[in-house]
Amino acid sequence: IFSFEKIFIVQMKYAPLLDNIQLFFILLSFIFFILSFKKNIYLMTAFLSLGAVASTKFWATAAVIYLIWLIYILLLKNIKKIFDFIKFSPFILAIMLVVYIPAFLQGTTLREFFGVQKYIYNFHHEKLNFDPFAVWDLLLFNRWHSFSGIRPAVDFQISWPIITILSIFAIFLIFK
């Protein structure tokens, strides 16, 4: 992410959405997850950060990251890492519950808490029009797929396709 991108500046200055905050916690959780392979205590902080991801916007983002990490840990076949992964996992839900403390103090029950989470899921699920190629169409050709059809994105910059192509090229070079 480059801070000179129009979309980043607009979200920071004029229309502060939760996306940048959630992105911060996503990056933080990945940093701590990677560090956890050197020191185990970082796995706890990775899950605390992942709990913040789940609390910030749509919890399914954190669920996807969690499942990817779980698959990776299982593929390592390291029993101690698997045990530690399971041991620290409740920190995700703990952070979500801590965020909702004001609501609980006002009388919200745990059942209502999970009802809100279900509502958030249903809200996003109804808007979901999954097209795995739409993101590439936007990043490379400035064709934004929305409910009203395909149109150019207002915030598009020529740096999007350049950065996308260079990133894909770099990934191929790394794994070559």
Coordinates of all heavy atoms in Angstrom, one line a residue, residues 40-55 62 66 69 83-99 113:
N40 N 7.5 -18.0 20.6 CA 6.1 -18.5 20.6 C 5.1 -17.5 21.2 O 3.9 -17.5 20.8 CB 6.1 -19.8 21.5 CG 4.9 -20.6 21.2 OD1 4.4 -20.6 20.0 ND2 4.4 -21.3 22.1
I41 N 5.5 -16.6 22.0 CA 4.6 -15.6 22.7 C 4.0 -14.7 21.6 O 2.9 -14.2 21.8 CB 5.4 -14.8 23.8 CG1 4.4 -14.1 24.6 CG2 6.4 -13.9 23.2 CD1 3.5 -14.9 25.5
Y42 N 4.6 -14.5 20.5 CA 4.1 -13.7 19.4 C 2.8 -14.3 18.8 O 2.0 -13.5 18.2 CB 5.1 -13.4 18.3 CG 6.2 -12.5 18.7 CD1 7.5 -12.9 18.8 CD2 5.9 -11.2 19.1 CE1 8.5 -12.0 19.1 CE2 6.9 -10.3 19.5 CZ 8.2 -10.7 19.5 OH 9.2 -9.8 19.9
L43 N 2.6 -15.6 19.0 CA 1.4 -16.2 18.5 C 0.2 -15.6 19.2 O -0.9 -15.4 18.7 CB 1.4 -17.7 18.6 CG 0.3 -18.5 17.9 CD1 0.3 -18.1 16.4 CD2 0.5 -20.0 18.1
M44 N 0.3 -15.4 20.5 CA -0.8 -14.8 21.3 C -1.1 -13.4 20.8 O -2.2 -13.0 20.6 CB -0.4 -14.7 22.8 CG -1.5 -14.1 23.7 SD -1.1 -14.0 25.4 CE 0.2 -12.8 25.4
T45 N 0.0 -12.6 20.5 CA -0.3 -11.2 20.0 C -0.8 -11.3 18.6 O -1.6 -10.4 18.2 CB 1.0 -10.4 20.1 OG1 2.1 -11.1 19.5 CG2 1.4 -10.1 21.5
A46 N -0.5 -12.3 17.8 CA -1.1 -12.4 16.5 C -2.6 -12.6 16.6 O -3.4 -12.1 15.9 CB -0.4 -13.6 15.8
F47 N -3.0 -13.5 17.6 CA -4.4 -13.7 17.8 C -5.1 -12.5 18.4 O -6.3 -12.3 18.1 CB -4.6 -15.0 18.6 CG -4.4 -16.3 17.8 CD1 -3.7 -17.3 18.4 CD2 -4.9 -16.4 16.6 CE1 -3.5 -18.5 17.7 CE2 -4.7 -17.6 15.9 CZ -4.0 -18.6 16.4
L48 N -4.5 -11.8 19.2 CA -5.1 -10.6 19.7 C -5.3 -9.6 18.6 O -6.4 -9.0 18.5 CB -4.2 -9.9 20.8 CG -4.0 -10.7 22.1 CD1 -3.0 -10.0 23.0 CD2 -5.4 -10.7 22.8
S49 N -4.4 -9.5 17.7 CA -4.5 -8.6 16.5 C -5.6 -9.1 15.6 O -6.4 -8.4 15.0 CB -3.2 -8.5 15.7 OG -2.2 -8.0 16.5
L50 N -5.7 -10.5 15.5 CA -6.7 -11.1 14.6 C -8.1 -10.8 15.2 O -9.1 -10.7 14.5 CB -6.4 -12.6 14.4 CG -7.1 -13.2 13.2 CD1 -6.7 -12.5 11.9 CD2 -6.7 -14.7 13.1
G51 N -8.2 -10.8 16.6 CA -9.4 -10.5 17.2 C -9.8 -9.0 16.9 O -11.0 -8.7 16.8
A52 N -8.9 -8.2 16.8 CA -9.1 -6.8 16.5 C -9.6 -6.7 15.0 O -10.5 -5.9 14.7 CB -7.9 -5.9 16.7
V53 N -9.1 -7.5 14.2 CA -9.5 -7.6 12.8 C -11.0 -8.0 12.7 O -11.8 -7.4 12.1 CB -8.7 -8.6 11.9 CG1 -9.4 -8.9 10.6 CG2 -7.3 -8.1 11.8
A54 N -11.4 -9.0 13.5 CA -12.7 -9.5 13.6 C -13.7 -8.5 14.1 O -14.8 -8.4 13.8 CB -12.8 -10.8 14.4
S55 N -13.2 -7.7 15.1 CA -14.0 -6.7 15.7 C -14.2 -5.4 14.9 O -15.1 -4.6 15.2 CB -13.4 -6.3 17.1 OG -13.3 -7.4 17.9
A62 N -11.3 -12.2 9.4 CA -10.4 -12.8 10.4 C -10.6 -14.3 10.3 O -9.6 -15.1 10.5 CB -10.8 -12.3 11.8
Y66 N -7.5 -16.9 9.8 CA -7.4 -18.0 10.8 C -7.3 -19.3 10.1 O -6.4 -20.2 10.4 CB -8.5 -17.9 11.8 CG -8.4 -19.0 12.8 CD1 -7.7 -18.8 14.0 CD2 -9.1 -20.2 12.7 CE1 -7.5 -19.8 14.9 CE2 -9.0 -21.2 13.6 CZ -8.2 -21.0 14.7 OH -8.1 -22.0 15.7
W69 N -4.0 -19.8 8.3 CA -2.9 -20.0 9.3 C -3.0 -21.5 9.8 O -2.0 -22.2 9.9 CB -3.0 -19.1 10.4 CG -2.6 -17.7 10.1 CD1 -2.1 -17.2 8.9 CD2 -2.6 -16.6 11.0 NE1 -1.8 -15.9 9.0 CE2 -2.1 -15.4 10.3 CE3 -3.0 -16.4 12.3 CZ2 -2.1 -14.2 10.9 CZ3 -3.0 -15.1 12.9 CH2 -2.5 -14.0 12.2
F83 N -0.5 -27.5 18.9 CA -1.1 -27.3 20.3 C -1.1 -25.8 20.7 O -2.1 -25.3 21.2 CB -0.3 -28.1 21.3 CG -0.7 -27.9 22.7 CD1 -1.8 -28.5 23.2 CD2 0.1 -27.1 23.5 CE1 -2.2 -28.3 24.5 CE2 -0.3 -26.9 24.9 CZ -1.5 -27.5 25.3
D84 N 0.0 -25.1 20.4 CA 0.0 -23.7 20.8 C -1.0 -22.9 20.0 O -1.6 -22.0 20.5 CB 1.4 -23.1 20.5 CG 2.4 -23.6 21.5 OD1 2.0 -24.1 22.6 OD2 3.6 -23.6 21.2
F85 N -1.2 -23.3 18.7 CA -2.2 -22.6 17.9 C -3.6 -22.7 18.5 O -4.3 -21.8 18.6 CB -2.1 -23.2 16.5 CG -2.9 -22.4 15.4 CD1 -2.3 -21.4 14.8 CD2 -4.2 -22.7 15.1 CE1 -3.0 -20.6 13.8 CE2 -4.9 -22.0 14.2 CZ -4.3 -21.0 13.5
I86 N -3.9 -23.9 18.9 CA -5.2 -24.2 19.5 C -5.3 -23.5 20.8 O -6.3 -22.9 21.2 CB -5.5 -25.7 19.6 CG1 -5.6 -26.3 18.2 CG2 -6.7 -26.0 20.4 CD1 -5.6 -27.8 18.1
K87 N -4.2 -23.5 21.6 CA -4.2 -22.9 22.9 C -4.5 -21.4 22.9 O -5.2 -20.9 23.7 CB -2.9 -23.2 23.6 CG -2.7 -22.6 25.0 CD -1.4 -23.0 25.6 CE -0.2 -22.4 25.0 NZ 1.1 -22.6 25.6
F88 N -3.9 -20.7 21.9 CA -4.0 -19.3 21.9 C -5.2 -18.8 21.1 O -5.6 -17.6 21.1 CB -2.7 -18.6 21.3 CG -1.6 -18.7 22.2 CD1 -0.4 -19.2 21.8 CD2 -1.6 -18.2 23.5 CE1 0.7 -19.3 22.6 CE2 -0.6 -18.3 24.4 CZ 0.6 -18.8 23.9
S89 N -5.9 -19.7 20.4 CA -7.1 -19.3 19.5 C -8.2 -18.6 20.3 O -8.8 -17.7 19.7 CB -7.6 -20.5 18.8 OG -6.7 -21.0 17.8
P90 N -8.5 -18.9 21.5 CA -9.6 -18.2 22.2 C -9.3 -16.7 22.4 O -10.3 -16.0 22.6 CB -9.7 -18.9 23.6 CG -9.1 -20.3 23.3 CD -8.1 -20.1 22.3
F91 N -8.1 -16.2 22.2 CA -7.8 -14.8 22.3 C -8.6 -14.0 21.3 O -8.9 -12.8 21.5 CB -6.3 -14.5 22.2 CG -5.6 -14.8 23.5 CD1 -4.9 -16.0 23.7 CD2 -5.6 -13.9 24.6 CE1 -4.2 -16.3 24.8 CE2 -5.0 -14.2 25.7 CZ -4.3 -15.4 25.9
I92 N -8.9 -14.6 20.1 CA -9.6 -13.9 19.1 C -11.0 -13.6 19.6 O -11.5 -12.4 19.5 CB -9.7 -14.8 17.8 CG1 -8.3 -15.1 17.2 CG2 -10.6 -14.1 16.7 CD1 -8.3 -16.1 16.2
L93 N -11.7 -14.6 20.1 CA -13.1 -14.3 20.6 C -13.0 -13.4 21.8 O -13.9 -12.6 22.0 CB -13.7 -15.7 21.0 CG -15.2 -15.6 21.4 CD1 -16.1 -14.9 20.3 CD2 -15.7 -17.0 21.8
A94 N -12.0 -13.6 22.7 CA -11.9 -12.7 23.8 C -11.8 -11.2 23.5 O -12.5 -10.4 24.1 CB -10.6 -13.1 24.7
I95 N -11.0 -10.9 22.4 CA -11.0 -9.5 22.0 C -12.3 -9.0 21.5 O -12.7 -7.9 21.7 CB -9.8 -9.3 20.9 CG1 -8.5 -9.5 21.6 CG2 -10.0 -8.0 20.2 CD1 -8.2 -8.4 22.6
M96 N -13.0 -9.9 20.7 CA -14.3 -9.5 20.2 C -15.3 -9.2 21.4 O -16.0 -8.3 21.3 CB -14.9 -10.6 19.3 CG -14.3 -10.6 18.0 SD -15.2 -11.8 16.9 CE -16.7 -10.9 16.6
L97 N -15.2 -10.0 22.4 CA -16.1 -9.8 23.6 C -15.7 -8.6 24.3 O -16.6 -7.8 24.8 CB -16.1 -11.1 24.5 CG -16.7 -12.3 23.9 CD1 -16.5 -13.5 24.8 CD2 -18.2 -12.1 23.6
V98 N -14.4 -8.3 24.4 CA -14.0 -7.1 25.1 C -14.5 -5.8 24.4 O -14.9 -4.9 25.1 CB -12.4 -7.1 25.3 CG1 -11.9 -5.7 25.7 CG2 -12.0 -8.1 26.3
V99 N -14.4 -5.9 23.1 CA -14.9 -4.7 22.3 C -16.4 -4.5 22.6 O -16.9 -3.3 22.6 CB -14.6 -5.0 20.8 CG1 -15.4 -4.0 20.0 CG2 -13.1 -4.9 20.5
F113 N -25.4 -10.9 21.2 CA -24.1 -10.7 20.6 C -23.9 -11.6 19.3 O -23.6 -11.1 18.3 CB -23.0 -11.0 21.6 CG -21.6 -11.1 21.0 CD1 -20.9 -10.0 20.6 CD2 -21.1 -12.4 20.8 CE1 -19.7 -10.1 20.1 CE2 -19.8 -12.5 20.2 CZ -19.1 -11.4 19.9

